[in-house]
């Protein structure tokens, strides 16, 4: 037929036949819109699979027409694209079908977020259909992001009241991983960053003050380094490190000052300050990745704490060093040097060094 100059007629007849078949398929789907979303999506997936296989068969049968006549005329769609345009047109003619597809997909995603096992292969196939029809970015994605934000907003409010901070942070980390997996398994890659941003904003940014006020001091006191590292990592995603750094400084100042001003336990002051400094150095390196800004806050806050009581810390550090030197018999040289090095670190924070020299 193509060689007898009947390409145009053949192309139009194929176009009309495909359009009629697609209209019939959409009418059949319209009759199933009373079904539950998951059951309805099974019918949609069946229609899409049938459509794809039939269009591929048509394209293979009429490959000569597709490769010669269609390609020779600018603006003329290929047979497969013609079918897609027809399907997209008929979906707009059946808004209830389109709406039911969107609602069904969103419901399945919601159910999976709530812990229910869903058919990811079904989701992947229908998401691919929306992408091929040009409906993913324009229609589905905005609704997905809107409902994602609402889901995590409600979850954040609920869990922030009920869970302790360590479990809440672990849950946030898990949610971020789950959304990445959804993009890997069935959502389009373009959704990855917007979805993660929605989780970050609703679970982390919206609750940063509560996370810090409820959890930071507790985690520090219990030396929960892994949880502190998770807090640092997650808050870094939402610009929360400045607030975390303020809590860090406040904790150091408050804890250190309490040790220095505890007159009843002056004999233990130096040992307790050394233990605190070792703990803080460990957290700085293991949880805060040795961040320079956190290191600066550690130095200034610890110095303020050590000097919150005049003269006494200098006196006790001098006596501590003297006692170590006098009692060095039977102590290994390396062990003694280690003890003295730690004490000299405290000496470096003392402002009244003349008092230290007088006692030493």
């Amino acid at each position: 037929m193509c060689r007898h100059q009947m390409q145009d007629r053949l192309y139009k007849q194929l176009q009309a036949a495909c359009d009629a078949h697609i209209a019939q398929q959409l009418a059949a789907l319209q009759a199933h819109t009373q079904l539950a979303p998951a059951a309805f999506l099974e019918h949609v997936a069946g229609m899409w699979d049938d459509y794809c296989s039939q269009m591929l068969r048509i394209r293979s049968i009429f490959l000569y027409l597709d490769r010669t006549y269609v390609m020779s005329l600018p603006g003329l769609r290929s047979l497969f694209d013609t079918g897609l345009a027809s399907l997209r047109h008929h979906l707009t003619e059946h808004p209830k079908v389109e709406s039911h597809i969107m609602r069904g997909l969103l419901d399945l995603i919601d159910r999976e977020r709530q812990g229910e096992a869903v058919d990811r292969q079904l989701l992947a196939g229908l998401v691919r259909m929306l992408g091929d029809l040009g409906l993913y970015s324009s229609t589905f994605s905005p609704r997905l992001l809107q409902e994602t934000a609402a889901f995590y907003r409600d979850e954040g409010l609920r869990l922030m009241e009920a869970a302790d901070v360590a479990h809440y942070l672990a849950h946030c980390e898990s949610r971020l991983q789950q959304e990445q997996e959804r993009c890997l398994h069935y959502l389009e890659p373009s959704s990855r960053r917007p979805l993660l941003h929605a989780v970050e904003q609703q679970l982390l940014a919206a609750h940063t003050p509560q996370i810090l006020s409820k959890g930071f001091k507790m985690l520090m006191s219990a030396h929960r380094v892994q949880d502190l590292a998770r807090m640092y990592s997650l808050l870094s995603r939402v610009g929360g490190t400045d607030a975390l750094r303020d809590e860090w400084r406040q904790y150091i100042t408050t804890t250190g000052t309490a040790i220095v001003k505890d007159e009843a336990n002056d004999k233990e002051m130096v040992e307790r300050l050394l233990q605190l400094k070792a703990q803080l150095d460990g957290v700085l390196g293991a949880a805060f990745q040795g961040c320079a800004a956190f290191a600066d806050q550690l130095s200034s806050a610890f110095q303020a704490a050590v000097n919150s009581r005049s003269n006494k810390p200098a006196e006790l550090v001098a006596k501590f060093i003297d006692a170590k030197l006098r009692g060095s018999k039977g102590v290994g040289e390396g062990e003694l040097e280690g003890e003295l090095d730690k004490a000299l670190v405290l000496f470096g924070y003392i402002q009244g060094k003349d008092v230290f020299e007088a006692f030493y």
Side-chain angles (χ1 to χ4, degrees), residues 78-131:
S78 69
L79 293 176
F80 195 85
D81 288 343
T82 297
L84 286 177
S86 177
L87 180 54
R88 184 165 54 245
H89 168 74
H90 284 289
L91 268 178
T92 61
E93 294 278 305
H94 295 80
K96 192 173 181 180
V97 172
E98 181 179 343
S99 175
H100 221 54
I101 292 171
M102 303 297 174
R103 183 71 266 152
L105 290 171
L106 293 169
D107 284 352
L108 283 183
I109 294 171
D110 182 75
R111 285 160 56 184
E112 186 181 47
R113 284 174 176 154
Q114 296 184 51
E116 185 177 336
V118 299
D119 188 344
R120 284 187 164 186
Q121 187 174 354
L122 174 67
L123 282 165
L126 293 178
V127 163
R128 187 163 55 251
M129 179 191 77
L130 293 181

Side-chain angles (χ1 to χ4, degrees), residues 164-178:
D164 64 69
V165 168
H167 285 93
Y168 183 83
L169 291 172
H171 179 79
C172 293
E173 191 174 63
S174 175
R175 283 303 198 186
L176 288 166
Q177 181 61 37
Q178 289 168 16

Side-chain angles (χ1 to χ4, degrees), residues 32-53:
H32 292 299
T33 52
Q34 80 282 359
L35 295 174
F40 176 73
L41 292 181
E42 293 285 354
H43 286 279
V44 177
M47 179 276 295
W48 175 246
D49 289 343
D50 178 65
Y51 164 84
C52 290
S53 64

Side-chain angles (χ1 to χ4, degrees), residues 205-244:
H207 300 287
T208 296
Q210 298 96 309
I211 290 171
L212 292 172
S213 63
K214 284 180 62 176
F216 183 76
K217 183 178 179 181
M218 180 271 292
L219 295 178
M220 284 294 300
S221 299
H223 200 55
R224 303 270 291 273
V225 177
Q226 185 175 355
D227 291 317
L228 287 165
R230 183 178 289 115
M231 178 182 286
Y232 176 79
S233 174
L234 290 173
L235 293 185
S236 296
R237 302 175 71 114
V238 294
T241 51
D242 287 347
L244 176 58

Side-chain angles (χ1 to χ4, degrees), residues 9-60:
R9 179 181 173 187
L10 177 59
Y11 180 83
K12 289 178 179 178
Q13 286 182 343
L14 279 171
Q15 189 177 40
C18 290
D19 189 73
H21 178 73
I22 291 170
Q24 185 181 13
Q25 294 286 83
L26 266 293
L29 284 180
Q30 180 79 24
H32 292 299
T33 52
Q34 80 282 359
L35 295 174
F40 176 73
L41 292 181
E42 293 285 354
H43 286 279
V44 177
M47 179 276 295
W48 175 246
D49 289 343
D50 178 65
Y51 164 84
C52 290
S53 64
Q54 291 187 0
M55 288 306 300
L56 288 173
R57 187 176 297 111
I58 289 171
R59 188 172 64 176
S60 64

